[in-house]
Every structure is written in C-alpha cells, then in structure tokens.
Amino acid sequence: MPPAAAAAAFLSPAVAVSSRALPLRRARHLAVRAVASPPASKAKPAPPPSKTGKWEWKFEDKPINIYYEEHEQDSSEDVKNILMIPTISDVSTVEEWRVVAKDIVGRKGELGYRATIVDWPGLGYSDRPSLNYNADVMESFLVQLVNSPNSPVANADDELVIVGGGHAATIAVRAAGKGLIRPSAVAAVAPTWAGPLPIVFGRGSDMETRYGLLRGTLRAPAIGWMMYNVLVSNEKSIQSQYKSHVYANPENVTPDIIESRYELTKRKGARYVPAAFLTGLLDPVQSREEFVQLFAKLDGDVPVLIVSTLNAPKRSKAEMEALKGAKGVTKFVEVPGALLPQEEYPLAVAEELYSFLQESFTARR
C-alpha cells in the first residue's frame, strides 16, 4: 500500500479519496513540444561522479553534513555551473540526476557545463538530524548553499543555473522570487507544491489536526519507527509507489532501484523529513494561485523552463498544466514520465535541459 493510502487509513477510515482530477487551467500562450514516450527499458547503471564530498551546513548552530557530488569534463574553456537538487520525497537521492548530469557535461560545444548534485538535509546521503523540517527550513538551506563562500557552488560567477524536481523546484523559485538567490536560469522538472496527503484531502482545520497527529506519531521515538516501517520503509510500499505514480511505466521499476531506495529509508533519522513531507509541512505554497504567482515574480528577470510529463498523476498534472502559458514561464515542454522523469527517462530530460541551457546562455552573450 502506498504511504498516502496507508496514512489515510491511519488518519480516518471514513476518509475517501476522490479520483476526480483538479480542473485544468487553459493555456494563454506558448507552444508546447511533446516528446513521444519511448518503449520500456531497463534502467542503465548511473555513472560515477567526478568528485564527491560533504559540505557543512549550520542550522541553529548545529553542524549538518550535506552530501554532494560533481560531474564535469575538461572539454571547454567556458564552463557554466548547474546546481541539481533532487525531488523531495520519502526516498529522495542525488542518484536520480546522475545520468542527466553525465549526459549534459559530456556534450561537446563552445560552452561546457559542470553539474553539482546536492542532497537535501534529512534526505539521501546527507545527515538526518531531528529538525522541525518545513518549507522555510529547506529554503534557508538552499539559500545558504547558493550564497555561502565555501559551498560546492561558490564559484559560479553569478551564472548558476538551478535545476530541481517536484517541491525542490518550487522552493528554488520561491527563494528566487524573494531575491534571496539570483540564479541565471531555473529549470523546474515535474514541479509540485502539495504533499501527498494535502493534495488529496485538502487543508481544512480537521485535516490539519489529523496531519499533526500523524506527524507527531512518526517522529515519536519508538512508535514512530513502527509507523514509518508500515508507511514507507518496506520494499512493497516503495515498489507500489514507483509503479503507481512515480514512474510512468511499471516495467521500468527494477529490483535494483527498489533495493537502493529501501536502503535509504533505513538510514539513521530517515523518518523526520518524510513525516513533514507527507503531511504538507514542506509545501512552499498553499494554493494553485500562489504556485503560479511564484513564477510570475521571475518574469523578465530569470528564464524559466517547465518540464511537464505526459503521465503524471491527475492532480499533479493539473498543477503543471496551470503553468502552461503562465507569466514568468519562458518555455514549457513535455517529456515521457510521471513524477520522476529525470530518473526514468533521463536522456529525454537531458535533451530539453541542454537545449534550454544553450538558449539561455546564448541570449546572455
């Protein structure tokens, strides 16, 4: 049973999930180029990074080790920097961007690229302390990562492109709209703003109370691990997630992927961020209108690429469609996939990102 469904059963047996999709917003302008879905194929092993390391992020005077890896090739004198941040989820990891990063940095041309992939605090291979995680904490991390003089992306020379998936993309756009970071461009891949439970059950006061109960249970010392093992940390649950809505083609979900993600859920402190994400604390906005407005704030200042997917779940797809033709969106494309196209169809995503990067940097010359 996927975590959202199991959590719903925990919250209330009377709660029913509506299968009706949210209404689609009509596009006002901007042509969309769709890419045909390729046949199912087994995922290729991700290539190793050029460099790995740990960066120390300080939050409330606590040092937290943040895992990052760099991908680059010495193929050009003019090298631009890309920061890739994973989709926030129960099993978020830098691994989802590796093939995309290697494809982009391996291309020959007048411009070269260096890609740095960074795990969020509390996720992937970063430390997972028991913080009170919310969207503001994650935004603060991203701001310090981009602006700190000793961070892995410190030498970007004001030409840092930020590429993110899901909530990660939306948090980056929010930070840019506030002027806290100044990326040269942003690419939002399958962007989302609502956690698994809020996007289904909403944010009424009664539901917020239930979310708080579930969150508190997941964070509790003993019962928390038990509940976490039921909702998230088991191979059947992870496989169900991937086959039902994370990947578009169930045949692309391999045993290796499930095993890798399962191992991530067994790391010390693994349950704290999922407790926040599942119940909506990591949501950067509270409505579709706010979501669209975030991108409008970047209009004329920061080029923005939206990479939507052909087979995203209905509610998530509706939010992506709301950005088609929206103010502040420079380019809108569709690729095969659902919620994690950069991992399931990395070459299709890499092609769109590379095209956008070339267009953006050429325009700045």
Side-chain angles (χ1 to χ4, degrees):
M1 180 182 291
F10 170 81
L11 291 171
S12 171
V15 175
V17 182
S18 171
S19 62
R20 181 168 55 89
L22 294 174
L24 296 181
R25 177 172 175 161
R26 185 180 298 276
R28 295 195 299 274
H29 63 303
L30 209 66
V32 178
R33 178 157 61 90
V35 182
S37 178
S41 60
K42 291 185 178 180
K44 296 180 180 179
S50 305
K51 174 185 175 182
T52 64
K54 293 288 183 72
W55 173 66
E56 187 178 277
W57 174 53
K58 287 190 176 180
F59 182 75
E60 297 179 344
D61 295 325
K62 297 177 182 178
I64 300 169
N65 290 316
I66 301 299
Y67 176 82
Y68 72 90
E69 53 188 51
E70 296 178 358
H71 298 259
E72 63 179 329
Q73 288 188 3
D74 298 327
S75 58
S76 174
E77 294 182 0
D78 190 1
V79 177
K80 306 301 182 183
N81 287 278
I82 309 168
L83 169 62
M84 294 180 168
I85 42 180
T87 300
I88 294 177
S89 73
D90 306 330
V91 290
S92 174
T93 170
V94 293
E95 294 172 11
E96 71 190 51
W97 283 112
R98 283 180 183 162
V99 176
V100 174
K102 275 296 184 182
D103 181 84
I104 291 175
V105 303
R107 300 193 183 207
K108 308 294 184 182
E110 293 183 10
L111 292 178
Y113 295 99
R114 177 188 300 110
T116 303
I117 318 175
V118 180
D119 266 330
W120 290 97
L123 292 171
Y125 300 102
S126 292
D127 287 354
R128 302 181 178 209
S130 177
L131 304 181
N132 291 317
Y133 294 98
N134 57 35
D136 291 339
V137 170
M138 295 309 208
E139 181 183 83
S140 176
F141 161 73
L142 180 61
V143 170
Q144 290 185 50
L145 173 69
V146 172
N147 295 329
S148 176
N150 69 340
S151 88
V153 293
N155 299 316
D157 298 325
D158 297 323
E159 289 194 330
L160 180 67
V161 176
I162 297 180
V163 178
H167 275 44
T170 310
I171 289 172
V173 170
R174 191 178 83 161
K178 294 177 180 178
L180 300 175
I181 57 175
R182 297 190 60 83
S184 60
V186 173
V189 179
T192 56
W193 62 266
L197 291 177
I199 199 171
V200 175
F201 303 119
R203 290 186 170 277
S205 59
D206 58 333
M207 291 310 304
E208 290 290 358
T209 299
R210 293 171 182 173
Y211 298 158
L213 174 62
L214 174 59
R215 189 162 52 244
T217 302
L218 283 168
R219 290 180 62 89
I223 193 174
W225 270 114
M226 294 174 60
M227 179 62 69
Y228 179 69
N229 288 335
V230 171
L231 298 182
V232 178
S233 187
N234 65 82
E235 292 175 312
K236 288 185 178 180
S237 176
I238 295 170
Q239 184 180 64
S240 177
Q241 284 188 72
Y242 268 71
K243 289 189 173 184
S244 66
H245 60 273
V246 176
Y247 274 22
N249 192 329
E251 294 183 14
N252 290 340
V253 181
T254 66
D256 286 346
I257 290 173
I258 301 304
E259 181 180 356
S260 170
R261 302 308 180 261
Y262 174 68
E263 289 175 356
L264 289 173
T265 68
K266 292 303 181 183
R267 296 175 68 87
K268 182 180 178 180
R271 70 188 189 276
Y272 298 123
V273 170
F277 174 65
L278 186 65
T279 57
L281 275 190
L282 300 189
D283 295 353
V285 294
Q286 303 295 303
S287 69
R288 179 184 297 178
E289 290 71 27
E290 292 180 16
F291 179 57
V292 174
Q293 186 58 35
L294 288 182
F295 292 84
K297 291 179 180 179
L298 303 186
D299 189 44
D301 186 27
V302 179
V304 174
L305 168 69
I306 302 298
V307 180
S308 182
T309 56
L310 296 171
N311 300 107
K314 290 181 179 180
R315 292 176 177 83
S316 298
K317 177 72 169 180
E319 304 310 313
M320 297 178 205
E321 288 288 326
L323 296 173
K324 188 188 299 182
K327 184 178 181 181
V329 174
T330 309
K331 187 177 182 181
F332 186 105
V333 299
E334 282 190 330
V335 298
L339 294 181
L340 210 59
Q342 64 268 29
E343 183 174 88
E344 187 179 9
Y345 297 107
L347 299 184
V349 172
E351 183 64 35
E352 296 296 348
L353 290 178
Y354 185 78
S355 174
F356 175 67
L357 290 168
Q358 294 293 95
E359 293 166 5
S360 298
F361 284 117
T362 299
R364 291 168 64 91
R365 286 184 162 186

